[in-house]
Amino acid sequence: SRAYSLVDSSQVSTFLISILLIVYGSFRSLNMDFENQDKEKDNSSAAGSFNGNSTNNSIQTIDSTQALFLPIGASVSLLVMFFFFDSVQVVFTICTAVLATIAFAFLLLPMCQYLTRPCSPQNKISFGCCGRFTAAELLSFSLSVMLVLIWVLTGHWLLMDALAMGLCVAMIAFVRLPSLKVSCLLLSGLLIYDVFWVFFSAYIFNSNVMVKVATQPADNPLDVLSRKLHLGPNVGRDVPRLSLPGKLVFPSSTGSHFSMLGIGDIVMPGLLLCFVLRYDNYKKQANSDTCGAPGPGNISGRMQKVSYFHCTLIGYFVGLLTATVASRIHRAAQPALLYLVPFTLLPLLTMAYLKGDLRRMWSEPFHSKSSSSRFLEV
């Protein structure tokens, strides 16, 4: 009963939603890889091209330098939001709303494709310089714009969560970690970043910088616009201040408090899970090409059947549960990555070592010798 009292319904909702977002985003990412491979095959058969980057322009791969400097850039952004929030809040709100609109449209796209498939062809409609779009893409974008407008008018936490979910899925799907080395650099740096700004920033800035930035509401752009244009005292005055979609929040069963989890605590471990899912699929294809070659002799067959994705996902759940229990015990905000990073990276590194895949996963695991030899022959 003591353990049960440390986790209420809001935490359970956070657990389930964050895990579903990571799983869904990882499989969307894998599906995008399959689609890109099919396009590359079609392009190479039609035009004799072997340039694999032609269909991956929208996908961003993080290298070692970016992984090292990303925590520094995040720290600078956090300080800008802490010191100059009143000056940049409107611009930041508008930029966040635009990004959330695009991300939520991406989240809705599979459902819209399913709905429009029976009644309309998948031909693209031209909009001049704006580009060409299918009916499903137009429908998903229209629904996303409508949701953002309702969120701006009402400021409801459920709509903010929906936009945050879209941001999580889009970031997991469009950002890649190329190797375990880059994954360790990125997550270790972000762990230090999270711990410093949650535990030690108060000693320097007399305030918990991370918590203040995450919980500070912004002025509604409609209210600011009405004041700038002098539209009258009653225009735009009833709209609420907006809590920006940089986190997931769920109310407790009593409504006395909200459980909060930043999208960085979902996206960054989600990128690691996306990487191991791609590696599981790559290894499965490699084993099928080599007629199911057995693994190292000191590893049992049952151990070989355990996927890296399931192992890391279980570690993420245990780390999230540990972070929640720690926050309830200490009655203070906890840096979630302090618990998520060890519980995801350490089991993954241990399993990779035992399976004999650690050296391959550490550096360029998806670059096969066969592809390089084919490039030389061409």
Side-chain angles (χ1 to χ4, degrees):
S1 61
R2 172 63 177 170
Y4 178 77
S5 65
L6 294 176
V7 181
D8 60 17
S9 59
S10 60
Q11 272 93 30
V12 173
S13 301
T14 305
F15 291 169
L16 296 178
I17 293 298
S18 61
I19 290 174
L20 288 176
L21 289 175
I22 288 177
V23 172
Y24 180 66
S26 299
F27 278 94
R28 284 290 297 270
S29 174
L30 189 63
N31 186 60
M32 290 171 60
D33 285 346
F34 290 151
E35 292 177 353
N36 287 332
Q37 290 175 6
D38 293 338
K39 290 179 181 180
E40 288 176 5
K41 291 179 181 178
D42 294 339
N43 292 337
S44 61
S45 61
S49 172
F50 53 84
N51 184 8
N53 295 325
S54 58
T55 58
N56 290 330
N57 294 331
S58 60
I59 296 175
Q60 176 65 41
T61 301
I62 299 178
D63 56 24
S64 299
T65 304
Q66 292 171 334
L68 288 173
F69 282 96
L70 194 147
I72 299 176
S75 299
V76 173
S77 301
L78 198 65
L79 285 176
V80 170
M81 292 296 296
F82 179 74
F83 286 111
F84 307 105
F85 185 81
D86 292 337
S87 302
V88 301
Q89 59 178 324
V90 176
V91 176
F92 191 74
T93 303
I94 294 175
C95 293
T96 303
V98 172
L99 291 176
T101 302
I102 299 172
F104 194 74
F106 175 76
L107 180 64
L108 293 177
L109 184 58
M111 181 191 71
C112 294
Q113 288 174 337
Y114 177 79
L115 294 176
T116 59
R117 187 178 295 115
C119 56
S120 67
Q122 296 300 315
N123 297 330
K124 292 189 175 183
I125 305 172
S126 177
F127 284 85
C129 60
C130 296
R132 298 169 58 87
F133 306 95
T134 63
E137 292 171 342
L138 294 175
L139 177 60
S140 65
F141 184 74
S142 301
L143 293 175
S144 182
V145 170
M146 186 182 305
L147 181 81
V148 171
L149 291 178
I150 297 174
W151 168 67
V152 171
L153 292 173
T154 63
H156 198 276
W157 65 268
L158 195 57
L159 301 179
M160 183 198 70
D161 280 358
L163 298 177
M165 293 175 193
L167 288 171
C168 289
V169 171
M171 292 176 69
I172 293 174
F174 284 99
V175 180
R176 298 284 191 275
L177 294 176
S179 64
L180 191 55
K181 172 186 173 181
V182 176
S183 304
C184 291
L185 287 174
L186 177 64
L187 291 176
S188 299
L190 290 174
L191 185 151
I192 298 172
Y193 155 86
D194 208 15
V195 169
F196 173 79
W197 290 111
V198 173
F199 284 154
F200 301 104
S201 60
Y203 297 104
I204 302 175
F205 302 99
N206 296 322
S207 178
N208 191 317
V209 175
M210 181 75 76
V211 174
K212 183 175 180 180
V213 171
T215 58
Q216 190 168 4
D219 288 339
N220 197 299
L222 296 180
D223 185 20
V224 176
L225 184 64
S226 66
R227 284 190 274 109
K228 293 292 184 181
L229 299 179
H230 305 287
L231 298 179
N234 297 324
V235 180
R237 300 302 184 186
D238 296 332
V239 293
R241 301 192 75 190
L242 298 176
S243 183
L244 300 181
K247 54 191 175 294
L248 292 180
V249 295
F250 289 94
S252 63
S253 56
T254 60
S256 59
H257 67 277
F258 278 80
S259 173
M260 183 177 67
L261 182 67
I263 63 173
D265 302 324
I266 302 174
V267 171
M268 296 308 164
L271 294 179
L272 178 65
L273 277 130
C274 179
F275 165 75
V276 297
L277 179 64
R278 291 167 57 225
Y279 184 80
D280 283 333
N281 179 72
Y282 171 82
K283 188 177 179 182
K284 183 179 179 181
Q285 292 180 346
N287 289 340
S288 63
D289 293 340
T290 57
C291 300
N298 60 335
I299 301 299
S300 64
R302 183 175 299 179
M303 181 69 175
Q304 285 291 339
K305 292 180 181 179
V306 178
S307 68
Y308 292 110
F309 181 77
H310 292 139
C311 174
T312 312
L313 186 63
I314 294 173
Y316 176 81
F317 175 79
V318 175
L320 198 59
L321 179 63
T322 306
T324 302
V325 172
S327 66
R328 296 297 293 272
I329 292 177
H330 297 289
R331 299 185 181 276
Q334 295 290 310
L337 292 180
L338 175 63
Y339 307 93
L340 295 176
V341 172
F343 276 103
T344 53
L345 272 183
L346 294 181
L348 173 60
L349 292 171
T350 303
M351 178 174 281
Y353 175 77
L354 293 176
K355 285 189 173 185
D357 295 330
L358 183 57
R359 180 173 297 181
R360 180 61 188 263
M361 294 178 69
W362 187 256
S363 179
E364 299 183 350
F366 305 111
H367 291 179
S368 61
K369 295 181 180 180
S370 59
S371 62
S372 60
S373 61
R374 184 171 64 251
F375 176 81
L376 292 176
E377 289 174 2
V378 172

